[in-house]
Amino acid sequence: MRTRAMLSLALFAAGGALGCGGGGDGAGGTPTTPTTPSTPSTPSTPSTPAAPATPAAPAAPTAALVDVAVTNNSFSPAAVTVHVGDTVRWTWAACSSEPDPYGYGGGGQSCTDHNVTWDAPAATPSATQSQGTYSRTFDAAGTWTYHCVVHGMAMSGSVVVQ
């Protein structure tokens, strides 16, 4: 057993010498180039966290078109609520083949003229007419009241602009 240990030690020593290139006096063989020591790497700087994503701004609301019917002695609906930038369109529908309940045209076809006149001088009034349309775009918040110049305050309406 002792011999076996000695033999193992001898083989180990011989293998170590061979692994280092063997003996020799330094003459001949392939010279080795000394290596330049590597420079230590620069520690990386922590990256700045990205700013949180800004949520997209809501799209601007699309301007709406709101219709008001101008009928025999009334605006329908008489009151509307809209947003700044919206347009209100009045459409005359005063001519009808049904009797006028207010007695303006008697039986049969009734065609009554109406208009939209602003109570405060806010805009140009519509023409006095029995058919057609009139539109106004509201660019300021407030309450805008109007009436028919033919029928006075008995035929009136309002536009609330928010």
Side-chain angles (χ1 to χ4, degrees):
M1 198 163 291
R2 194 173 217 200
T3 312
R4 202 184 264 179
M6 290 296 273
L7 184 61
S8 293
L9 184 61
L11 285 175
F12 179 73
L18 289 175
C20 291
D25 59 359
T30 307
T32 56
T33 314
T35 58
T36 308
S38 63
T39 56
S41 63
T42 307
S44 62
T45 55
S47 62
T48 305
T54 304
T62 305
L65 176 64
V66 177
D67 284 301
V68 175
V70 181
T71 60
N72 288 326
N73 208 31
S74 69
F75 296 106
S76 180
V80 295
T81 301
V82 298
H83 296 290
V84 171
D86 289 352
T87 299
V88 177
R89 176 178 58 198
W90 288 263
T91 302
W92 273 250
C95 288
S96 68
S97 59
E98 297 184 21
D100 182 358
Y102 301 103
Y104 292 110
Q109 185 166 352
S110 171
C111 295
T112 306
D113 288 343
H114 302 287
N115 85 331
V116 174
T117 298
W118 299 98
D119 294 339
T124 305
S126 72
T128 301
Q129 57 199 36
S130 61
Q131 58 187 357
T133 62
Y134 165 74
S135 297
R136 178 173 174 201
T137 300
F138 293 86
D139 56 1
T143 299
W144 312 95
T145 57
Y146 61 94
H147 64 277
C148 171
V149 75
V150 175
H151 297 101
M153 297 309 284
M155 185 176 175
S156 61
S158 65
V159 178
V160 177
V161 182
Q162 299 178 333

